Short mmCIF file of all heavy atoms in Angstrom, two decimals:
data_model
loop_
_atom_site.label_atom_id
_atom_site.label_comp_id
_atom_site.label_asym_id
_atom_site.label_seq_id
_atom_site.Cartn_x
_atom_site.Cartn_y
_atom_site.Cartn_z
N ARG A 4 -161.27 101.90 -114.77
CA ARG A 4 -162.32 100.81 -114.90
C ARG A 4 -162.31 99.89 -113.70
O ARG A 4 -163.34 99.33 -113.28
CB ARG A 4 -162.09 99.97 -116.15
CG ARG A 4 -162.44 100.71 -117.43
CD ARG A 4 -162.27 99.82 -118.66
NE ARG A 4 -160.86 99.35 -118.82
CZ ARG A 4 -160.34 98.15 -118.52
NH1 ARG A 4 -161.20 97.14 -118.02
NH2 ARG A 4 -159.11 97.83 -118.72
N GLU A 5 -161.11 99.63 -113.09
CA GLU A 5 -160.93 98.71 -112.04
C GLU A 5 -160.13 99.34 -110.88
O GLU A 5 -159.08 99.87 -111.12
CB GLU A 5 -160.27 97.42 -112.46
CG GLU A 5 -161.03 96.61 -113.48
CD GLU A 5 -160.35 95.33 -113.90
OE1 GLU A 5 -159.49 94.80 -113.14
OE2 GLU A 5 -160.68 94.93 -115.04
N LEU A 6 -160.57 99.14 -109.66
CA LEU A 6 -159.86 99.60 -108.47
C LEU A 6 -159.95 98.47 -107.44
O LEU A 6 -161.02 98.10 -107.01
CB LEU A 6 -160.50 100.90 -107.90
CG LEU A 6 -159.88 101.47 -106.64
CD1 LEU A 6 -158.35 101.74 -106.80
CD2 LEU A 6 -160.57 102.75 -106.22
N LEU A 7 -158.79 97.92 -107.04
CA LEU A 7 -158.73 96.93 -105.99
C LEU A 7 -157.92 97.43 -104.88
O LEU A 7 -156.78 97.83 -105.00
CB LEU A 7 -158.07 95.64 -106.64
CG LEU A 7 -157.74 94.56 -105.66
CD1 LEU A 7 -158.95 93.83 -105.11
CD2 LEU A 7 -156.76 93.49 -106.29
N LEU A 8 -158.49 97.28 -103.69
CA LEU A 8 -157.77 97.63 -102.42
C LEU A 8 -157.83 96.42 -101.52
O LEU A 8 -158.91 96.08 -101.10
CB LEU A 8 -158.47 98.85 -101.74
CG LEU A 8 -158.63 100.13 -102.60
CD1 LEU A 8 -159.54 101.08 -101.94
CD2 LEU A 8 -157.23 100.72 -102.89
N ARG A 9 -156.67 95.74 -101.30
CA ARG A 9 -156.75 94.51 -100.49
C ARG A 9 -155.49 94.60 -99.51
O ARG A 9 -154.37 94.88 -99.86
CB ARG A 9 -156.64 93.36 -101.44
CG ARG A 9 -156.76 91.98 -100.54
CD ARG A 9 -156.80 90.82 -101.37
NE ARG A 9 -155.37 90.56 -101.83
CZ ARG A 9 -155.10 89.82 -102.86
NH1 ARG A 9 -156.04 89.29 -103.69
NH2 ARG A 9 -153.84 89.52 -103.20
N GLY A 10 -155.85 94.28 -98.28
CA GLY A 10 -154.84 94.25 -97.28
C GLY A 10 -154.21 95.63 -96.96
O GLY A 10 -153.04 95.71 -96.55
N CYS A 11 -155.03 96.68 -97.13
CA CYS A 11 -154.61 97.93 -96.73
C CYS A 11 -155.20 98.28 -95.38
O CYS A 11 -156.17 99.08 -95.31
CB CYS A 11 -155.04 99.01 -97.79
SG CYS A 11 -154.29 98.63 -99.43
N GLU A 12 -154.64 97.70 -94.28
CA GLU A 12 -155.24 97.75 -92.99
C GLU A 12 -155.42 99.17 -92.47
O GLU A 12 -156.21 99.47 -91.62
CB GLU A 12 -154.41 96.90 -91.98
CG GLU A 12 -154.50 95.39 -92.22
CD GLU A 12 -153.42 94.84 -93.11
OE1 GLU A 12 -152.63 95.66 -93.70
OE2 GLU A 12 -153.38 93.65 -93.42
N GLY A 13 -154.53 100.05 -92.88
CA GLY A 13 -154.53 101.42 -92.32
C GLY A 13 -155.50 102.31 -93.04
O GLY A 13 -155.72 103.47 -92.63
N LEU A 14 -156.00 101.91 -94.21
CA LEU A 14 -156.89 102.81 -95.01
C LEU A 14 -158.15 103.12 -94.21
O LEU A 14 -158.98 102.20 -93.87
CB LEU A 14 -157.19 101.98 -96.35
CG LEU A 14 -157.92 102.83 -97.41
CD1 LEU A 14 -157.01 104.05 -97.87
CD2 LEU A 14 -158.24 101.95 -98.60
N GLU A 15 -158.36 104.38 -94.02
CA GLU A 15 -159.46 104.82 -93.25
C GLU A 15 -160.61 105.51 -94.02
O GLU A 15 -161.69 105.38 -93.69
CB GLU A 15 -159.01 105.85 -92.18
CG GLU A 15 -158.05 105.20 -91.23
CD GLU A 15 -157.42 106.18 -90.19
OE1 GLU A 15 -157.71 107.47 -90.39
OE2 GLU A 15 -156.69 105.79 -89.35
N THR A 16 -160.24 106.21 -95.15
CA THR A 16 -161.26 106.96 -95.86
C THR A 16 -160.88 106.89 -97.39
O THR A 16 -159.84 106.63 -97.81
CB THR A 16 -161.30 108.45 -95.48
OG1 THR A 16 -159.89 108.99 -95.80
CG2 THR A 16 -161.58 108.63 -94.00
N LEU A 17 -161.96 107.06 -98.11
CA LEU A 17 -161.88 107.28 -99.65
C LEU A 17 -162.23 108.72 -99.98
O LEU A 17 -163.06 109.29 -99.23
CB LEU A 17 -162.78 106.18 -100.30
CG LEU A 17 -162.50 104.83 -100.12
CD1 LEU A 17 -163.52 103.95 -100.79
CD2 LEU A 17 -161.08 104.40 -100.62
N PRO A 18 -161.66 109.23 -100.98
CA PRO A 18 -162.06 110.63 -101.30
C PRO A 18 -163.56 110.74 -101.74
O PRO A 18 -164.11 109.87 -102.32
CB PRO A 18 -161.15 110.86 -102.56
CG PRO A 18 -160.18 109.81 -102.68
CD PRO A 18 -160.70 108.70 -101.86
N GLU A 19 -164.16 111.82 -101.22
CA GLU A 19 -165.54 112.04 -101.59
C GLU A 19 -165.73 112.07 -103.10
O GLU A 19 -166.86 111.65 -103.63
CB GLU A 19 -165.98 113.36 -101.04
CG GLU A 19 -167.45 113.72 -101.23
CD GLU A 19 -168.47 112.64 -100.81
OE1 GLU A 19 -168.20 112.02 -99.70
OE2 GLU A 19 -169.36 112.29 -101.59
N GLY A 20 -164.79 112.51 -103.92
CA GLY A 20 -164.99 112.58 -105.39
C GLY A 20 -164.93 111.23 -106.07
O GLY A 20 -164.99 111.20 -107.32
N MET A 21 -165.04 110.17 -105.40
CA MET A 21 -165.07 108.80 -105.98
C MET A 21 -166.21 108.58 -106.95
O MET A 21 -166.18 107.84 -107.93
CB MET A 21 -165.18 107.67 -104.94
CG MET A 21 -163.92 107.54 -104.04
SD MET A 21 -162.50 106.77 -104.83
CE MET A 21 -163.11 105.18 -105.05
N GLY A 22 -167.31 109.40 -106.79
CA GLY A 22 -168.47 109.40 -107.65
C GLY A 22 -168.17 109.92 -109.05
O GLY A 22 -168.97 109.73 -109.90
N ARG A 23 -166.98 110.58 -109.28
CA ARG A 23 -166.69 111.07 -110.53
C ARG A 23 -165.96 110.06 -111.40
O ARG A 23 -165.63 110.35 -112.62
CB ARG A 23 -165.79 112.34 -110.36
CG ARG A 23 -166.49 113.48 -109.73
CD ARG A 23 -165.61 114.65 -109.67
NE ARG A 23 -166.25 115.78 -109.01
CZ ARG A 23 -165.73 116.90 -108.75
NH1 ARG A 23 -164.47 117.08 -109.05
NH2 ARG A 23 -166.33 117.83 -108.12
N LEU A 24 -165.72 108.90 -110.89
CA LEU A 24 -165.10 107.81 -111.63
C LEU A 24 -166.06 107.16 -112.56
O LEU A 24 -166.48 105.99 -112.26
CB LEU A 24 -164.36 106.84 -110.67
CG LEU A 24 -163.29 107.45 -109.79
CD1 LEU A 24 -162.77 106.40 -108.85
CD2 LEU A 24 -162.12 108.04 -110.55
N ILE A 25 -166.51 107.83 -113.59
CA ILE A 25 -167.64 107.42 -114.34
C ILE A 25 -167.44 106.16 -115.08
O ILE A 25 -168.38 105.51 -115.57
CB ILE A 25 -168.04 108.56 -115.32
CG1 ILE A 25 -166.82 108.93 -116.28
CG2 ILE A 25 -168.49 109.76 -114.61
CD1 ILE A 25 -167.08 109.87 -117.30
N SER A 26 -166.21 105.71 -115.34
CA SER A 26 -165.98 104.41 -116.09
C SER A 26 -165.69 103.25 -115.16
O SER A 26 -165.53 102.15 -115.61
CB SER A 26 -164.67 104.58 -116.96
OG SER A 26 -164.86 105.65 -117.90
N LEU A 27 -165.74 103.49 -113.80
CA LEU A 27 -165.51 102.43 -112.87
C LEU A 27 -166.48 101.32 -112.99
O LEU A 27 -167.69 101.57 -112.81
CB LEU A 27 -165.43 103.00 -111.44
CG LEU A 27 -164.78 102.10 -110.38
CD1 LEU A 27 -163.34 101.81 -110.72
CD2 LEU A 27 -164.93 102.66 -109.02
N GLU A 28 -166.02 100.10 -113.31
CA GLU A 28 -166.87 98.94 -113.46
C GLU A 28 -166.65 97.91 -112.32
O GLU A 28 -167.61 97.16 -111.94
CB GLU A 28 -166.62 98.21 -114.78
CG GLU A 28 -166.81 99.04 -115.95
CD GLU A 28 -166.36 98.39 -117.29
OE1 GLU A 28 -165.64 97.26 -117.23
OE2 GLU A 28 -166.66 98.91 -118.36
N LYS A 29 -165.42 97.95 -111.79
CA LYS A 29 -165.06 96.94 -110.79
C LYS A 29 -164.38 97.57 -109.65
O LYS A 29 -163.30 98.29 -109.85
CB LYS A 29 -164.17 95.85 -111.44
CG LYS A 29 -163.83 94.69 -110.58
CD LYS A 29 -163.02 93.71 -111.45
CE LYS A 29 -162.72 92.43 -110.72
NZ LYS A 29 -161.91 91.51 -111.47
N PHE A 30 -164.96 97.48 -108.44
CA PHE A 30 -164.40 98.04 -107.27
C PHE A 30 -164.38 96.96 -106.12
O PHE A 30 -165.42 96.57 -105.68
CB PHE A 30 -165.18 99.26 -106.81
CG PHE A 30 -164.72 100.10 -105.63
CD1 PHE A 30 -163.40 100.35 -105.54
CD2 PHE A 30 -165.48 100.47 -104.65
CE1 PHE A 30 -162.85 100.98 -104.40
CE2 PHE A 30 -165.06 101.13 -103.50
CZ PHE A 30 -163.80 101.39 -103.47
N ILE A 31 -163.27 96.59 -105.72
CA ILE A 31 -163.11 95.53 -104.76
C ILE A 31 -162.30 96.04 -103.49
O ILE A 31 -161.21 96.61 -103.68
CB ILE A 31 -162.38 94.30 -105.28
CG1 ILE A 31 -163.30 93.75 -106.48
CG2 ILE A 31 -162.21 93.23 -104.23
CD1 ILE A 31 -162.67 92.56 -107.21
N ILE A 32 -162.80 95.94 -102.31
CA ILE A 32 -162.20 96.22 -101.12
C ILE A 32 -162.19 94.96 -100.22
O ILE A 32 -163.21 94.35 -99.93
CB ILE A 32 -162.92 97.32 -100.33
CG1 ILE A 32 -163.08 98.59 -101.10
CG2 ILE A 32 -162.15 97.66 -99.01
CD1 ILE A 32 -164.01 99.58 -100.51
N MET A 33 -161.00 94.57 -99.93
CA MET A 33 -160.83 93.32 -99.03
C MET A 33 -159.80 93.54 -97.91
O MET A 33 -158.81 94.22 -98.24
CB MET A 33 -160.38 92.14 -99.83
CG MET A 33 -161.41 91.69 -100.94
SD MET A 33 -160.75 90.43 -102.01
CE MET A 33 -160.44 89.13 -100.85
N ASP A 34 -160.05 93.10 -96.77
CA ASP A 34 -159.16 93.17 -95.62
C ASP A 34 -158.66 94.66 -95.41
O ASP A 34 -157.45 94.91 -95.30
CB ASP A 34 -157.95 92.27 -95.91
CG ASP A 34 -158.35 90.82 -96.02
OD1 ASP A 34 -159.27 90.40 -95.33
OD2 ASP A 34 -157.83 90.08 -96.93
N CYS A 35 -159.63 95.54 -95.40
CA CYS A 35 -159.30 96.95 -95.03
C CYS A 35 -160.26 97.27 -93.83
O CYS A 35 -161.22 98.03 -93.99
CB CYS A 35 -159.56 97.84 -96.22
SG CYS A 35 -158.52 97.50 -97.71
N PRO A 36 -159.89 96.76 -92.64
CA PRO A 36 -160.86 96.85 -91.51
C PRO A 36 -161.24 98.29 -91.11
O PRO A 36 -162.31 98.56 -90.47
CB PRO A 36 -160.22 96.08 -90.42
CG PRO A 36 -158.77 96.13 -90.78
CD PRO A 36 -158.67 96.18 -92.24
N LYS A 37 -160.38 99.26 -91.24
CA LYS A 37 -160.58 100.63 -90.79
C LYS A 37 -161.51 101.47 -91.82
O LYS A 37 -162.07 102.53 -91.42
CB LYS A 37 -159.39 101.40 -90.54
CG LYS A 37 -158.56 100.89 -89.38
CD LYS A 37 -157.35 101.79 -89.20
CE LYS A 37 -156.54 101.27 -87.91
NZ LYS A 37 -155.41 102.04 -87.78
N LEU A 38 -161.66 100.87 -92.99
CA LEU A 38 -162.54 101.57 -93.98
C LEU A 38 -164.01 101.01 -93.73
O LEU A 38 -164.35 99.96 -94.12
CB LEU A 38 -162.14 101.23 -95.35
CG LEU A 38 -162.72 101.91 -96.54
CD1 LEU A 38 -162.57 103.40 -96.38
CD2 LEU A 38 -162.27 101.46 -97.80
N THR A 39 -164.75 101.91 -93.00
CA THR A 39 -166.09 101.46 -92.57
C THR A 39 -167.26 102.01 -93.44
O THR A 39 -168.37 101.63 -93.22
CB THR A 39 -166.25 101.84 -91.11
OG1 THR A 39 -166.03 103.20 -90.89
CG2 THR A 39 -165.23 101.04 -90.21
N PHE A 40 -166.97 103.05 -94.26
CA PHE A 40 -168.05 103.56 -95.07
C PHE A 40 -167.54 104.11 -96.38
O PHE A 40 -166.32 104.38 -96.52
CB PHE A 40 -168.83 104.68 -94.33
CG PHE A 40 -168.08 105.97 -94.17
CD1 PHE A 40 -168.19 107.00 -95.11
CD2 PHE A 40 -167.30 106.10 -93.11
CE1 PHE A 40 -167.47 108.14 -94.92
CE2 PHE A 40 -166.55 107.32 -92.85
CZ PHE A 40 -166.70 108.31 -93.85
#
């Protein structure tokens, strides 16, 4: 339901299958400068 990614400066990509997380209500990304899309 919730995924928080904060201060993960090296994080570059997210898996393409993220769209299968059908129950995801809250998704927060903060301070992850290499994650651009």
Side-chain angles (χ1 to χ4, degrees):
R4 293 180 296 102
E5 296 181 23
L6 177 58
L7 170 71
L8 305 169
R9 185 174 78 201
C11 300
E12 292 91 356
L14 190 62
E15 298 174 355
T16 61
L17 296 176
E19 181 54 43
M21 293 284 291
R23 295 185 182 173
L24 300 176
I25 57 174
S26 299
L27 195 63
E28 298 173 352
K29 187 176 184 179
F30 182 47
I31 298 175
I32 303 171
M33 297 173 60
D34 302 321
C35 301
K37 291 184 179 179
L38 187 60
T39 56
F40 70 94

